[in-house]
Amino acid sequence: AMLHTDIALAAFRARDGAQFEFHAGIADGWLALADDRKSPPGSLRSRWNVAVARLLLANGEAGLAERYLDRINERIPNDPAILLVFGTVKETQATRPGLQWSNGKPDNPAAVASARDAALNAAVALLQRAAADPALVEARLRLARIHVLKKDDASAEPILTAILAAQPKPPMKYLASLLLGGIRERQKQFDPAARLYVDAVLAVPDG
């Protein structure tokens, strides 16, 4: 499995998507055999596939990551870590749409908005399932961010309040404080917003 992983990564660096998917698929098959074809959530196979998906996403390959995760989500169902990275892919796709041009004219903006909304709704569905794992603070944080993107501060606020009440690690506290500070600012609660922004600075001073 690791030999085929090395070949897949070399193909990825060479921008050979077909070879990457081929060898990544073989590596996944070997890992499935190592798991006696059971592959429970959190197994080595699961963690390996999450790492591959995050590599794709970190390199801007959201489309390839989506196609990859579509298969893995069927093969290892109800895995919170896979659902989290799949939801992250959908979130990324929703925040990166752009107007396409045809014959020198921009395409219908409503179509772009519709695609964005569909991706956000898909992300919400995936992240809600991932957030059932209390250890995945990132899933709840991303879910709150999507509610903010959908202009639904009322749904985001209790999620962020609960995250901060649980004293999360500094990076999570930093992001949750920023998001909740933004909500307070939009509510014109400027003193509480300022305190949350200070909390963010204190959590990650170089953020």
Side-chain angles (χ1 to χ4, degrees), residues 145-169:
R145 177 175 182 266
I146 291 173
H147 286 314
V148 170
L149 290 174
K150 291 167 67 71
K151 302 187 186 302
D152 184 7
D153 286 352
S155 295
E157 185 175 348
I159 298 173
L160 295 168
T161 301
I163 289 173
L164 291 172
Q167 296 296 311
K169 293 181 179 179

Side-chain angles (χ1 to χ4, degrees), residues 97-109 111-112:
L99 277 177
Q100 301 298 315
W101 288 69
S102 302
N103 300 319
K105 296 181 179 180
D107 291 341
N108 183 5
V112 175

Side-chain angles (χ1 to χ4, degrees), residues 117-138:
D117 290 344
L120 287 175
N121 291 334
V124 166
L126 290 162
L127 292 171
Q128 282 176 333
R129 293 170 61 197
D133 184 341
L136 290 182
V137 179
E138 182 187 345

Side-chain angles (χ1 to χ4, degrees), residues 58-127:
N59 283 274
E61 296 287 350
L64 182 55
E66 180 187 28
R67 188 163 70 247
Y68 186 86
L69 284 163
D70 217 23
R71 294 194 301 270
I72 297 305
N73 190 43
E74 290 183 2
R75 295 171 184 172
I76 312 177
N78 303 314
D79 186 312
I82 290 174
L83 293 168
L84 168 57
V85 72
F86 204 176
T88 303
V89 167
K90 293 293 187 181
E91 175 190 2
T92 302
Q93 291 175 326
T95 54
R96 290 184 180 173
L99 277 177
Q100 301 298 315
W101 288 69
S102 302
N103 300 319
K105 296 181 179 180
D107 291 341
N108 183 5
V112 175
S114 177
R116 177 181 182 273
D117 290 344
L120 287 175
N121 291 334
V124 166
L126 290 162
L127 292 171

